[in-house]
Amino acid sequence: GTSRHVANSICSTGFSALSSLDAGWYGKGVYFTSNALYATPYYATQKHPVIIIAFIIAGNIYPVIEHPKEQDSFIGKAIIPGFSSHYILTTKSGYPITNVNEKHFDELVAEESHCIPAFIVELDIKQMVELVKEFNRETITNLPHKEIEE
């Protein structure tokens, strides 16, 4: 999720400039999730929040289990040679799960050339406050990722 302004730019020029804004916990690339609620910190604080639905060629996926605070983390590293993307099952806070039975979400880190924006879904700003409260996840300003502002 992001702002309408940034989404329009992505649809015009592609995702290529985004990976240079953030080193990325799980490697360099463009980050996606299959759960719109998990992405709320990235769009809930925007004046015109949107979600981009994209086509992604994940290719040969590397399953990431390394924690971003460990020495062998993937922070800022390129996608592993021989793989096209990284895939992580995460907790609500964005850290890798430690138990397969716990509630989890996902993140996919893909190379820019493997992602095509398809749709922009505009969200109702009035619903964001309740949505964030319901999900009880930190806002983007409290997360270690950089915010993309309009």
Side-chain angles (χ1 to χ4, degrees):
T2 189
S3 70
R4 185 183 330 144
H5 174 75
V6 172
N8 287 336
S9 177
I10 289 169
C11 288
S12 295
T13 61
F15 289 100
S16 63
L18 288 181
S19 65
S20 64
L21 296 175
D22 188 336
W25 273 12
Y26 301 112
K28 281 188 157 187
V30 183
Y31 281 64
F32 297 92
T33 183
S34 62
N35 188 302
L37 194 55
Y38 178 76
T40 54
Y42 299 93
Y43 61 80
T45 59
Q46 300 296 330
K47 186 175 178 183
H48 302 286
V50 301
I51 295 172
I52 298 174
I53 308 295
F55 296 115
I56 305 160
I57 299 173
N60 191 20
I61 300 169
Y62 182 85
V64 176
I65 57 170
E66 292 79 5
H67 195 285
K69 292 186 178 181
E70 292 176 358
Q71 216 171 13
D72 62 345
S73 81
F74 281 77
I75 293 177
K77 294 181 181 174
I79 291 176
I80 299 288
F83 293 89
S84 306
S85 59
H86 292 165
Y87 184 73
I88 310 91
L89 292 178
T90 69
T91 63
K92 185 167 55 170
S93 347
Y95 295 115
I97 62 167
T98 55
N99 178 343
V100 293
N101 295 319
E102 69 183 302
K103 172 107 173 122
H104 61 270
F105 302 91
D106 64 353
E107 293 189 30
L108 177 77
V109 184
E111 296 176 8
E112 296 90 350
S113 61
H114 294 184
C115 315
I116 299 172
F119 304 98
I120 296 175
V121 178
E122 293 192 28
L123 304 166
D124 184 355
I125 190 80
K126 296 172 193 156
Q127 302 297 319
M128 292 298 107
V129 174
E130 289 304 314
L131 189 61
V132 171
K133 281 182 190 174
E134 179 185 323
F135 191 53
N136 193 26
R137 186 161 181 223
E138 298 175 90
T139 61
I140 188 77
T141 54
N142 296 328
L143 292 175
H145 303 287
K146 292 182 182 175
E147 181 174 5
I148 300 170
E149 293 183 15
E150 188 172 36

